[in-house]
Amino acid sequence: MHERMPLLWRAGLLMLLCALPMSSLWAQAPAQPQPADITKVLSDVLTLIGVQNTATLQVKPGDKIAFMGDSITQQGGYVRLAASVLNMNYPTLKPVIINVGVSGQHAENMEPRFEKDMRLAEKPAFTFINVGINDVWHRMKAEHDPAVLEAYKVNVAKMVDKGLASGAQVVLLTPTIIGEDAKNESNARLVMYVDAMKQIAAEKKCQLIDRMICF
């Protein structure tokens, strides 16, 4: 786990950059107006990491925001950063944060529990799905199996469909790189999973934040 910590900090920093523009683009009635030049810079950052149609991301007071993922989500770094930015800039919003990350899980572990754990019956406004690292990393001792990749696509698509059917805005978070070498075999394989997630986002017309492009 220790060798992944620098990447967790990077992922958290990137999510903070994501959350900062979300605080100006998502939320209604900011506590204090932000300077126009800062807002533009942060909006540009959001665009660079692949988020489109930000006008649809409007947080209302008391909205539930649910996060599905593996250990990176369970540890809560980027989730806390996003919540802190919203709470500091928009103290009247008081969003309800639901973190259901479970260490070591793959897409096939998350999909069966998605509806219950993400509390879809309670109509969360946003569902974030962060999945992919373990689907690759835990299987590196074996050759790449196209059937595993196809199962990943099916399970991610099912989670997206469930989130959309509940009325939530669905945001897919691509996995970050494995280890410090972006060109290693693990990451060459991971790119296929990132591409699969991008394809799902395009087909389902949901939001996607590409966290690999910053490394």
Side-chain angles (χ1 to χ4, degrees):
M1 179 62 68
H2 67 281
E3 65 184 13
R4 293 178 62 188
M5 287 306 296
L7 296 178
L8 298 184
W9 279 106
R10 293 185 196 177
L13 178 59
L14 179 55
M15 285 307 300
L16 177 58
L17 291 176
C18 296
L20 286 169
M22 285 176 188
S23 70
S24 60
L25 293 169
W26 278 15
Q28 298 175 343
Q32 295 180 347
Q34 297 188 18
D37 58 333
I38 297 297
T39 299
K40 183 180 186 305
V41 169
L42 295 175
S43 298
D44 289 344
V45 170
L46 196 60
T47 301
L48 284 172
I49 58 176
V51 177
Q52 302 297 324
N53 197 21
T54 53
T56 66
L57 300 177
Q58 294 290 322
V59 175
K60 300 184 296 298
D63 272 349
K64 296 180 178 68
I65 305 174
F67 295 82
M68 171 65 71
D70 50 36
S71 61
I72 293 175
T73 301
Q74 183 183 35
Q75 291 173 15
Y78 75 88
V79 178
R80 287 193 298 271
L81 285 169
S84 295
V85 169
L86 287 174
N87 288 329
M88 285 188 297
N89 287 279
Y90 304 94
T92 62
L93 287 178
K94 302 187 186 314
V96 177
I97 304 299
I98 302 166
N99 183 342
V100 294
V102 175
S103 180
Q105 288 209 326
H106 310 144
E108 66 264 29
N109 308 126
M110 297 180 196
E111 190 278 326
R113 66 183 184 89
F114 187 82
E115 184 172 3
K116 179 181 178 180
D117 287 4
M118 294 287 270
R119 293 159 54 179
L120 296 187
E122 299 178 26
K123 301 296 183 182
F126 301 93
T127 57
F128 286 79
I129 304 171
N130 180 4
V131 57
I133 283 185
N134 294 329
D135 299 77
V136 172
W137 186 31
H138 290 175
R139 294 169 168 131
M140 284 306 298
K141 291 182 179 180
E143 294 293 326
H144 167 65
D145 186 347
V148 173
L149 176 58
E150 183 60 30
Y152 169 85
K153 292 170 63 176
V154 168
N155 285 310
V156 173
K158 285 182 178 179
M159 288 189 280
V160 171
D161 285 341
K162 290 177 181 180
L164 293 174
S166 76
Q169 291 280 343
V170 177
V171 184
L172 294 174
L173 307 177
T174 68
T176 55
I177 65 172
I178 300 170
E180 297 293 338
D181 181 5
K183 297 181 180 180
N184 64 28
E185 174 60 26
S186 298
N187 291 310
R189 194 177 297 186
L190 188 63
V191 167
M192 293 185 284
Y193 288 74
V194 172
D195 288 344
M197 184 177 278
K198 290 179 179 179
Q199 180 182 350
I200 292 167
E203 291 175 353
K204 306 291 183 182
K205 295 182 171 54
C206 62
Q207 298 283 350
L208 179 138
I209 296 175
D210 187 356
R211 299 180 301 159
M212 284 194 76
I213 63 173
C214 293
F215 299 102

